[in-house]
Amino acid sequence: MTDIESIRSALPQLVEEAKRQLRDATDLESFVEAERALLGKRSPLAALNATLKDLAPADRGKAGEAINEARSQLAEFAGSLRREREAESNRRRVDAERLDLSEITAGPRRAPLGFSDNAVGHLHLVNQTRDELEDTFIAMGFDVVEGPEAETDWYNFEALNMPPDHPARGMWDTLYLRLGSPETVLLRTHTSPVQVRLMESAKLPIYAVMPGRCYRRDTPDARHLPVFHQIEGLVVDEGITFGDMAGVIEAFTESFFGEGMHSRLRPSFFPFTEPSGEFEVTCPICGGGGCRTCSGSGWIELGGCGMVDPNVFEATGIDPERYSGFAFGFGIDRLAQVRTSLADMRVLLDNDIRFLSQF
Ligand code: DAH
């Protein structure tokens, strides 16, 4: 038979024992478990509470108060200890994830924290994709050419058949640089200005691709990045036809994506090509059968293309009576996204090693 005195005398020892168990649980997980065992429904304090009904009615209130007080004392102790444990666990996690960017290591390269010792870094998915594209075009006989990322209005727009105030400029939301120079300087919105530079300076014929970084005043979302990459293609020679363009795009598609992958063209508009097209390739995810990535169509739109507009030849000093050519351009990040089924393109900019190391 329980009496109030035995409850009163049992309490201090019970609280001390509980505190000891809490102190002994040094990691957060075992602490949370101990806390539940010592303060929860199956705790010794709860068991003691359950004996109250056996007391003389006059003692029940007082004994209940004593148990409650012991309980809140223990809960307070547990609370402050839990905050310490949580802080420690946080500190440990941050330490484990820390990358020391100021660290210089001599000798063999070290694996990032959390990776096996022989793991070394590698090119970013976008750079791997660019390299593969370059290799594919080099194998087809193309040169690789680069141009500046800060461009003048002339190269980005005007020489591409877009005089000032031409409405087609609205197709590209542009970031302008205030450099105090008489020419308007901007961050190129596409790789097409490199075409212009090449036509101005190169010897003909031209068979070249031009990869590089581009900028647009866009809010990043699942399918757009304000900083992204394109690859441009340009062929200028005597007697080049629309059929040559379709053939080159098809050959590229097969060579890059693999056998059984095809391309198709649909009419479109770009100021620097006439006629212009959009080209699509067999969806690399479903192989043309139809899936979520291609909205069931079996095709993925890759980029724009067309026959170089005679005005662009004239702006760059090439005789349009003698030469003809075609151009194309598409997004490298988009291509990487489609090929690897990334739901959200923004992961390409996060630099999270858990993502990067998958490719
Ligand atoms: N520059 C275009 C864009 O960024 C893509 C493009 C379309 C490039 C047609 C071309 C072309 O060379 O012929 O939207």
Side-chain angles (χ1 to χ4, degrees), residues 109 119-125 127-128 353 355-359:
R109 279 203 282 176
V120 290
H122 60 66
L123 290 180
H124 188 280
L125 173 62
N127 288 335
Q128 288 180 42
I353 200 141
F355 166 73
L356 298 174
S357 58
Q358 293 176 49
F359 301 100

Side-chain angles (χ1 to χ4, degrees), residues 172 189-190 192 195 216 230 232-233 270 272-273 304-306 327-329:
W172 298 273
T189 58
H190 48 182
S192 302
Q195 281 186 36
R216 284 187 201 170
Q230 280 190 342
E232 190 86 7
F270 295 98
F272 30 93
T273 43
C305 60
F328 57 86

Side-chain angles (χ1 to χ4, degrees), residues 160 171-172 189-193 195 214 216 228 230-234 245 269-270 272-273 275-277 279 303-308 326-330:
L160 289 165
M171 290 165 75
W172 298 273
T189 58
H190 48 182
T191 42
S192 302
Q195 281 186 36
C214 306
R216 284 187 201 170
F228 61 102
Q230 280 190 342
I231 186 163
E232 190 86 7
L234 177 69
M245 179 180 82
F269 170 78
F270 295 98
F272 30 93
T273 43
S276 303
F279 64 97
C305 60
M307 301 305 290
V308 178
F326 63 83
F328 57 86
F330 57 91

Side-chain angles (χ1 to χ4, degrees), residues 185-206:
V185 181
L186 46 80
L187 293 174
R188 67 179 177 195
T189 58
H190 48 182
T191 42
S192 302
V194 193
Q195 281 186 36
V196 178
R197 292 183 173 274
L198 196 56
M199 285 190 262
E200 267 182 353
S201 65
K203 286 201 300 279
L204 297 171
I206 296 169

Side-chain angles (χ1 to χ4, degrees), residues 148-209:
E149 292 172 22
E151 268 295 8
T152 61
D153 185 271
W154 164 261
Y155 287 104
N156 198 80
F157 290 122
E158 200 158 350
L160 289 165
N161 200 23
M162 282 175 278
D165 301 326
H166 193 288
R169 288 179 174 224
M171 290 165 75
W172 298 273
D173 282 325
T174 310
L175 291 158
Y176 290 91
L177 298 174
R178 211 186 277 162
L179 295 182
S181 76
E183 279 178 306
T184 309
V185 181
L186 46 80
L187 293 174
R188 67 179 177 195
T189 58
H190 48 182
T191 42
S192 302
V194 193
Q195 281 186 36
V196 178
R197 292 183 173 274
L198 196 56
M199 285 190 262
E200 267 182 353
S201 65
K203 286 201 300 279
L204 297 171
I206 296 169
Y207 291 81
V209 287

Side-chain angles (χ1 to χ4, degrees), residues 125-126 129 331-342 348:
L125 173 62
V126 171
T129 312
I332 301 177
D333 320 68
R334 263 301 280 158
L335 174 59
Q337 175 182 34
V338 170
R339 262 177 122 204
T340 54
S341 302
L342 301 181
L348 294 172

Side-chain angles (χ1 to χ4, degrees), residues 16-17 27 65 74 88 92 94 115 123 133 176 218 227 230 242 260 266 273 283 290 298 309 338 342 352:
E16 275 321 303
E17 170 59 17
D27 65 290
E65 249 171 58
L74 186 60
E88 261 164 47
R92 232 173 286 136
V94 168
F115 286 78
L123 290 180
L133 287 166
Y176 290 91
D218 276 340
V227 180
Q230 280 190 342
F242 196 89
R266 326 175 62 165
T273 43
C283 174
D309 192 289
V338 170
L342 301 181
D352 186 329

